[in-house]
Amino acid sequence: MFNEASSGGSDHAAILNILARARPERLKAFAETLLDGADGGINVIANRTGLVMVPMRDTVENVDFHLGEVLVSEAHIADGAGHVGYGMITGRDLERAMAMAVIDLCLAAGGHDRAIADFLADEKHHLQAEDELRMRQVEATRVEMETF
Amino acid sequence: MAYVATRGGEKAIEQAERLFRQDLGTIDAARVETIRRTMPYLIDRVMGEASLYDEELAALALAQTGGELSEAVLVLRAWRTTQPRIAVARPVQQAELLTQRRISAAFKDIPGGQILGPTLDYSHRVLATDVLEGTPFAPPAVDMADHAAPQRQPPLADWQRQQGLVAPANASDVAAEDIPDLTREPLLFPASRAHRLQSLARAETGGVLALGYAAMRGYGNAHPTVNELRLAQAEVVVRHPRGTEFSAGRVRVSQAEVTSSMKGGYLELGYAATFGWNEVKVIAAATLDLNSAAAPVGSAMHEEFYLYHTESVEASGFCIHFKLPHYVTFQSVLDAMRDAKAKAAAATPAAPQMEPAE
């Protein structure tokens, strides 16, 4: 039923990384515009909250252990042709997960279009700028140790 | 077997709950959001002890329990059981952490350098009482560097292994789905390392600190030096139905390695990590890990002792159950005590009565 044969590759991963951290209100508003133009029905396979267990690797003995669970929202949808859209974000916001899935489905069904490319570019720029700002602040706390 | 019935208990219990909630007042989304936004380290502590990462829910738990931490952790852990586990994420590795604080007290020149990050370690702790007089405390802005710090830093332990200072470690070959999980299986002793580290990750901060402090002060075999301490964000990497791995978001985590002395030609290391930024907890927990191997059974540094006694829900639950009615069992204690006194009195010959004239 689903186009699950192969991984979407690094481009797909990069897109999903952006969508999962995109600004919520912009993400939802943009997904709405895609839904307006969607042909045919969308089948909702799952739209729920749940938990993702996060393991961590111990640096002393390389043993993986469970750190704890993270609350996530998940949306899993498909169109009539069997294309899959998937969204998962940390936190409790089913609309946000669904918006991510709608954009992912549009990409799977029709490939990139200009509007999606622009949205992704905007959000990528915003996220990079946020990280850059924070890490410049962090860099200001670097210390050099000297023994006398 | 006797029992004691309580008259009017149902009504009294309902009114007691009402009284507790009346004292806290109306809880609305604005209050929850204020707690979430203004108490990040408290939120982190609750999420870590509850083994459930969600800032909004942790803030809600704090709001509806009035900040009673044991109760907040309890309601979060209870809520966690209502949710399905959708996936197990890819194991987080230290080299992938988005690191904002990284220091070593053992080596001054660590690869990647030392970054203090957000901390009050070197500051005067002075209460800003002017705020109470109507003068808001507005923190000065950080003078940003002209370039960003690297988001990722290499593990110090890897560099130490290259130098022959730390013992080589085996490759991890356990599938994520097969990692031992304390939330689904009992803690048995001797505990697996995965169980020990998971248990410490969700342990009660105050309990871990008390026992870790005891080890540091001299009741343990190893006095710790912080090998590496990190406050960071970890990506929660999950799998798309098409197989693509991606990050569903970031969570705050703390990690600490502590070292003490040489063992078998290598530096011995203790390790701990937890959800949220809680460096006191991970340093104390890593100290307990470091001391475990040589700890005598029954000592506070033995894993059975510290893992059982820092499990917050079990510990607080056991403690508070003692205020519940124990009238019948306590009556048997009284009966035994009176009986013993009566027997002792009967066995003791009466002192001769002296007449006033004698």
Side-chain angles (χ1 to χ4, degrees), chain A residues 49 58-59 69 104 134, chain B residues 53 80 83 100 193 240 257:
Chain A
T49 58
D58 156 33
T59 56
E69 286 166 308
D104 183 48
R134 180 64 178 179
Chain B
Y53 198 101
R80 186 190 67 82
Q83 295 292 299
Q100 298 196 20
R193 184 154 182 81
H240 187 280
E257 290 164 5

Side-chain angles (χ1 to χ4, degrees), chain B:
Chain B
M1 179 67 186
Y3 64 91
V4 174
T6 306
R7 289 194 192 90
E10 188 175 339
K11 183 182 176 193
I13 288 167
E14 184 181 343
Q15 299 310 310
E17 182 181 346
R18 286 190 186 190
L19 186 57
F20 181 90
R21 299 201 188 285
Q22 174 190 285
D23 287 350
L24 296 180
T26 302
I27 297 165
D28 57 12
R31 183 191 289 195
V32 173
E33 175 56 19
T34 299
I35 294 171
R36 189 198 67 77
R37 191 168 39 80
T38 60
M39 305 279 168
Y41 292 91
L42 182 59
I43 297 285
D44 279 359
R45 176 171 168 172
V46 170
M47 294 191 301
E49 294 177 15
S51 295
L52 174 62
Y53 198 101
D54 187 74
E55 294 173 8
E56 188 182 44
L57 288 176
L60 175 61
L62 284 165
Q64 76 176 54
T65 58
E68 216 296 354
L69 290 185
S70 301
E71 293 285 339
V73 171
L74 173 66
V75 294
L76 263 187
R77 282 204 192 173
W79 189 89
R80 186 190 67 82
T81 64
T82 68
Q83 295 292 299
R85 182 178 295 174
I86 296 175
V88 178
R90 190 177 75 192
V92 174
Q93 299 197 46
Q94 193 180 49
E96 298 170 350
L97 290 176
L98 305 158
T99 302
Q100 298 196 20
R101 171 163 163 79
R102 183 205 189 216
I103 55 172
S104 172
F107 297 85
K108 63 183 177 64
D109 298 318
I110 54 177
Q114 306 220 20
I115 293 172
L116 302 180
T119 183
L120 294 174
D121 272 359
Y122 316 96
S123 313
H124 292 297
R125 272 73 157 193
V126 179
L127 205 55
T129 50
D130 286 353
V131 172
L132 305 179
E133 308 299 329
T135 306
F137 174 71
V142 175
D143 294 328
M144 284 188 290
D146 55 9
H147 65 281
Q151 290 190 349
R152 293 171 179 81
Q153 298 281 359
L156 180 56
D158 284 357
W159 175 77
Q160 290 169 320
R161 286 194 177 92
Q162 290 164 10
Q163 305 295 313
L165 298 172
V166 168
N170 296 325
S172 181
D173 56 0
V174 178
E177 290 72 19
D178 296 330
I179 297 170
D181 184 359
L182 274 179
T183 65
R184 297 189 171 184
E185 59 210 33
L187 177 63
L188 301 174
F189 297 99
S192 66
R193 184 154 182 81
H195 269 179
R196 180 195 291 177
L197 295 177
Q198 183 185 9
S199 189
L200 285 171
R202 60 201 250 122
E204 205 270 334
T205 302
V208 171
L209 174 60
L211 299 181
Y213 179 48
M216 295 166 192
R217 284 194 63 233
Y219 290 91
N221 294 308
H223 184 82
T225 299
V226 171
N227 193 55
E228 183 172 6
L229 172 70
R230 287 192 189 219
L231 301 185
Q233 290 178 308
E235 305 277 10
V236 179
V237 178
V238 292
R239 192 178 288 268
H240 187 280
R242 284 161 55 192
T244 310
E245 285 193 333
F246 70 98
S247 170
R250 297 174 177 175
V251 294
R252 305 210 309 177
V253 298
S254 310
Q255 278 191 330
E257 290 164 5
V258 297
T259 185
S260 174
S261 56
M262 191 180 74
K263 183 181 179 185
Y266 295 114
L267 285 173
E268 203 175 5
L269 294 178
Y271 174 87
T274 190
F275 270 154
W277 286 359
N278 188 345
E279 57 189 53
V280 161
K281 176 173 167 177
V282 288
I283 293 170
T287 302
L288 292 171
D289 182 47
L290 178 69
N291 275 273
S292 289
V297 175
S299 75
M301 282 80 240
H302 188 261
E303 65 172 9
E304 184 170 340
F305 192 100
Y306 67 72
L307 294 185
Y308 269 153
H309 297 116
T310 57
E311 165 40 55
S312 69
V313 170
E314 284 186 26
S316 62
F318 197 74
C319 178
I320 61 179
H321 105 276
F322 285 110
K323 67 195 175 187
L324 296 174
H326 282 66
Y327 307 126
V328 174
T329 49
F330 192 66
Q331 185 64 45
S332 72
V333 173
L334 285 178
D335 289 346
M337 189 175 78
R338 285 172 179 147
D339 187 50
K341 279 187 175 178
K343 284 177 178 167
T348 307
Q353 194 76 30
M354 302 292 285
E355 292 297 327
E358 290 180 319

Side-chain angles (χ1 to χ4, degrees), chain A residues 8-89:
Chain A
S10 59
D11 283 354
H12 191 211
I15 289 168
L16 294 170
N17 287 341
I18 294 168
L19 293 176
R21 289 182 57 226
R23 287 167 284 186
E25 295 315 314
R26 282 177 54 89
L27 181 80
K28 293 175 190 177
F30 181 63
E32 283 284 348
T33 66
L34 297 178
L35 279 177
D36 290 343
D39 296 329
I42 291 178
N43 179 29
V44 178
I45 299 160
N47 190 200
R48 58 178 177 169
T49 58
L51 305 171
V52 170
M53 180 56 101
V54 179
M56 181 170 262
R57 186 158 298 168
D58 156 33
T59 56
V60 177
E61 294 186 19
N62 265 348
V63 170
D64 290 344
F65 66 100
H66 287 315
L67 201 58
E69 286 166 308
V70 178
L71 180 69
V72 297
S73 300
E74 177 195 48
H76 189 177
I77 58 177
D79 65 11
H83 298 110
V84 167
Y86 189 78
M88 182 181 280
I89 50 110

